[in-house]
Amino acid sequence: MNTENTPEIDIIKASQSKISQVDFDNLTFGNTFTDHMLVCDFKEGQWQKPVIKPYEPFLIDPSAKVFHYGQAIFEGMKAYRDANNQVWLFRPDQNMDRFNKSATRLAMPEVPKDIFIGGLKQLVALEEQWVKGGKGNSLYIRPFMIAVGSGVIAQPSTQYRFMIILSPAKSYYSGEVKVIIAEHYSRAANGGIGAAKAAGNYSAQFYPTKLANEQGFQQIIWTDDATHTKLEEAGTMNVFFRINDTLITAPTSERILDGVTRKSLLDIAQKEGIQVDVRSLTVDELVKAAQDGSLKEMFGAGTAAVVSPIKGFQYQEHYYELTPQDQPMALFLKEKLTNIQYKLEDDPFGWTVHV
């Protein structure tokens, strides 16, 4: 195991592993968890000693501020096993940096690198049997932090709990995705917390997404809160559009999450000579491109699915279906990225980190 950034951690091992009870061929994403978790508390103005312990529920005061004022943030990452039986993380520094930006935005303490990266490496190393080989198999990593200080006065907590839990995962296939473009509801607003991976961002999406599901759509493409004319994200993912042979995606902002998959796909596209245009695409431009046939592809990008192709979209009661491409750019970029993650191709960017 790489000992870089490794803190002193108390390790309490589970008396018995439950791995033999898990059907790794039939996993529901995010429902099965490994034997251990990392826990580190912040109190009296400083981080305490981390502990890796058996995965289990824990007690929390009913007045904990996470319940009343929503101080909760998280990240999504993965570990992969290559053909040489080595386990790798993918750009964990980017997740840590974004996590700490989220923490700052919600008036929470930043997690030091030795606890976040060092603790993560020790936890994944302990659970390395849960990282199954073969492309498509991975170990999903969920770091999160909640406010555990008690009291219902409306002010930031003074006590927090940082945790990492792990969940084995298989290839995430969402089927044919049809989306509807938001005309009323917003994911985020200028000056808000859209750029943070805050729990409240996701709960606020559930109701409008439920309405979209009832109309036969799997996701919503969110538009800007002020005018609803600029295309921003697709569901919980960043979104890309291919018009002719140019790949377009919105720039990050206070409203748009700085996705690790997003920035990785952009770097790969530029390296492969694909024309990239990072700008706000308007709804009118999208509709016009769909009508004249220059809209070739749309796809979401995120940790769970990596790339999720979009079959068609609806706007103002009109549905536009895309013509399938013989050589889709979405699948080309996904293949390139996953080949780096599984060490099937060279990593020219230095993104992979050995555990």
Side-chain angles (χ1 to χ4, degrees):
M1 187 184 82
N2 190 333
T3 58
E4 181 187 3
N5 303 314
T6 300
E8 184 180 350
I9 293 180
D10 287 333
I11 298 179
I12 305 169
K13 291 189 177 181
S15 58
Q16 186 174 355
S17 175
K18 55 181 180 281
I19 193 169
S20 62
Q21 304 167 25
V22 176
D23 182 357
F24 283 89
D25 293 324
N26 295 286
L27 292 168
T28 300
F29 183 79
N31 273 14
T32 300
F33 296 94
T34 66
D35 296 318
H36 300 89
M37 60 186 184
L38 180 139
V39 181
C40 188
D41 287 330
F42 180 91
K43 58 185 178 181
E44 298 176 353
Q46 59 185 2
W47 287 101
Q48 308 299 301
K49 188 177 183 181
V51 59
I52 292 174
K53 60 189 295 188
Y55 182 97
E56 62 186 2
F58 59 90
L59 292 174
I60 188 170
D61 194 292
S63 71
K65 290 183 184 292
V66 64
F67 299 137
H68 304 275
Y69 302 112
Q71 280 184 290
I73 60 173
F74 68 95
E75 274 297 321
M77 312 163 63
K78 285 181 179 177
Y80 309 86
R81 187 180 294 278
D82 68 14
N84 295 318
N85 211 29
Q86 301 294 307
V87 175
W88 300 84
L89 301 174
F90 182 73
R91 307 191 76 175
D93 58 317
Q94 297 295 309
N95 291 99
M96 182 192 70
D97 289 347
R98 188 173 64 182
F99 187 89
N100 282 332
K101 288 178 182 176
S102 299
T104 297
R105 183 62 184 84
L106 270 73
M108 305 170 83
E110 292 189 5
V111 177
K113 185 175 183 179
D114 64 333
I115 294 176
F116 192 105
I117 302 293
L120 171 58
K121 286 181 176 180
Q122 287 200 53
L123 179 62
V124 172
L126 182 64
E127 304 286 59
E128 62 92 19
Q129 292 184 64
W130 291 80
V131 190
K132 297 303 180 183
K135 196 170 183 181
N137 296 321
S138 63
L139 186 66
Y140 183 77
I141 301 166
R142 172 54 61 92
F144 64 100
M145 180 163 54
I146 59 173
V148 296
S150 59
V152 295
I153 186 171
Q155 64 185 28
S157 177
T158 58
Q159 297 182 38
Y160 298 89
R161 177 160 293 175
F162 171 68
M163 301 182 65
I164 305 176
I165 55 177
L166 309 174
S167 177
K170 292 188 69 65
S171 292
Y172 187 97
Y173 176 66
S174 54
E176 292 186 330
V177 176
K178 296 192 297 182
V179 300
I180 187 168
I181 294 177
E183 298 179 60
H184 172 70
Y185 292 103
S186 299
R187 177 191 173 273
N190 283 332
I193 59 172
K197 276 189 82 72
N201 283 343
Y202 295 80
S203 60
Q205 296 182 43
F206 292 160
Y207 176 67
T209 303
K210 175 178 177 289
L211 298 180
N213 294 162
E214 290 170 353
Q215 297 180 64
F217 300 95
Q218 286 71 47
Q219 288 291 357
I220 297 171
I221 290 191
W222 302 104
T223 50
D224 68 290
D225 64 298
T227 67
H228 292 291
T229 61
K230 299 175 183 177
L231 300 160
E232 300 206 321
E233 291 194 359
T236 59
M237 309 176 81
N238 295 114
V239 63
F240 287 79
F241 309 91
R242 175 188 170 192
I243 296 181
N244 291 318
D245 287 324
T246 299
L247 192 64
I248 303 171
T249 193
T252 56
S253 69
E254 289 182 306
R255 302 186 306 274
I256 298 176
L257 194 69
D258 186 13
V260 178
T261 303
R262 170 192 174 277
K263 65 177 67 177
S264 302
L265 292 176
L266 286 174
D267 286 347
I268 291 171
Q270 290 171 328
K271 183 177 184 298
E272 294 296 325
I274 295 170
Q275 185 172 341
V276 171
D277 196 359
V278 179
R279 67 174 179 88
S280 294
L281 184 73
T282 66
V283 179
D284 287 346
E285 285 181 279
L286 182 70
V287 170
K288 181 178 182 298
Q291 291 172 339
D292 67 23
S294 59
L295 177 63
K296 305 300 183 184
E297 294 179 71
M298 299 167 56
F299 57 91
T303 299
V306 185
V307 165
S308 183
I310 295 170
K311 180 181 180 182
F313 70 93
Q314 179 162 303
Y315 179 65
Q316 293 184 343
E317 306 304 321
H318 294 282
Y319 178 71
Y320 303 87
E321 186 153 327
L322 278 65
T323 301
Q325 300 297 301
D326 291 335
Q327 296 180 308
M329 188 179 291
L331 296 185
F332 171 78
L333 292 172
K334 180 179 181 178
E335 185 79 1
K336 285 288 182 182
L337 179 55
T338 54
N339 280 352
I340 291 173
Q341 291 170 333
Y342 288 93
K343 308 296 285 185
L344 296 172
E345 292 185 18
D346 289 338
D347 174 14
F349 305 99
W351 288 338
T352 50
V353 176
H354 185 245
V355 173

